[in-house]
Amino acid sequence: MTYRVCFVCTGNICRSPMAEAVFHARVADAGLEDLVEADSAGTGGWHEGEGADPRTVAVLAEHGYDLDHTARQFQQSWFSRLDLIVALDAGHLRALRRLAPTERDAAKVRLLRSYDPAADGDDLDVPDPYYGGQDGFEECLEMVEAASTGLLAAVREQVEGRAA
């Protein structure tokens, strides 16, 4: 049975597609691509149908990540098919938990940086780089990469638990 993860930010053109691309690479490196699927969405539909922000694409390419992306808005009906919903900041976390149809579904929503043991427990947001310069996208990637190691370990544990 496939374990499904969805990364969620505001418009689904910067942070969540970046997290999706990095996590895809981690999953492939771990040899889990047949067991784990990842995608992304936004809490809003402002950019639906658009590609990722060119700065996101450039930073990912510069660091060796591939991204084929079309923005979309997260739908409440997706809770039933997802195992884990990864919010990129506390605002997304609150919005997704409010949208969750059940407490069990709300419990599926976690902050990305909660998987980074070096992250400050009081500030687990990945800042939105959209209105800034290229350095904000680099910082975003650093945070995403740092959290992806712990996220992969947690997902691997869940996947192996299903197989047991």
Side-chain angles (χ1 to χ4, degrees):
M1 180 187 260
T2 303
Y3 190 91
R4 291 179 173 83
V5 179
C6 185
F7 296 92
V8 181
C9 70
T10 306
N12 193 218
I13 60 170
C14 297
R15 293 173 285 179
S16 58
M18 188 177 287
E20 176 187 350
V22 170
F23 192 66
H24 271 291
R26 296 289 190 275
V27 166
D29 290 347
L32 298 173
E33 55 271 74
D34 291 338
L35 301 172
V36 179
E37 289 181 4
D39 57 22
S40 64
T43 56
W46 306 280
H47 298 285
E48 274 190 299
E50 296 177 20
D53 185 292
R55 297 166 293 179
T56 296
V57 175
V59 166
L60 286 169
E62 182 180 315
H63 292 272
Y65 296 104
D66 294 322
L67 178 65
D68 180 20
H69 178 75
T70 303
R72 61 200 184 131
Q73 183 175 1
F74 189 90
Q75 302 297 313
Q76 184 180 46
S77 61
W78 297 356
F79 276 97
S80 63
R81 68 174 177 82
L82 293 168
D83 297 290
L84 180 63
I85 299 118
V86 183
L88 277 288
D89 72 27
H92 309 129
L93 179 81
R94 287 188 300 273
L96 289 161
R97 286 188 173 162
R98 279 192 307 269
L99 187 63
T102 68
E103 287 297 318
R104 184 171 180 259
D105 288 323
K108 294 177 182 181
V109 184
R110 298 279 310 270
L111 280 168
L112 176 64
R113 292 192 66 219
S114 69
Y115 294 99
D116 180 357
D120 178 3
D122 293 333
D123 183 14
L124 296 178
D125 289 355
V126 175
D128 188 351
Y130 185 76
Y131 293 104
Q134 192 70 15
D135 58 332
F137 287 83
E138 291 285 347
E139 178 186 20
C140 181
L141 180 60
E142 289 172 17
M143 291 179 173
V144 166
E145 287 178 327
S148 292
T149 301
L151 174 59
L152 180 63
V155 168
R156 182 191 298 268
E157 186 176 301
Q158 292 295 312
V159 168
E160 290 173 354
R162 286 182 173 184

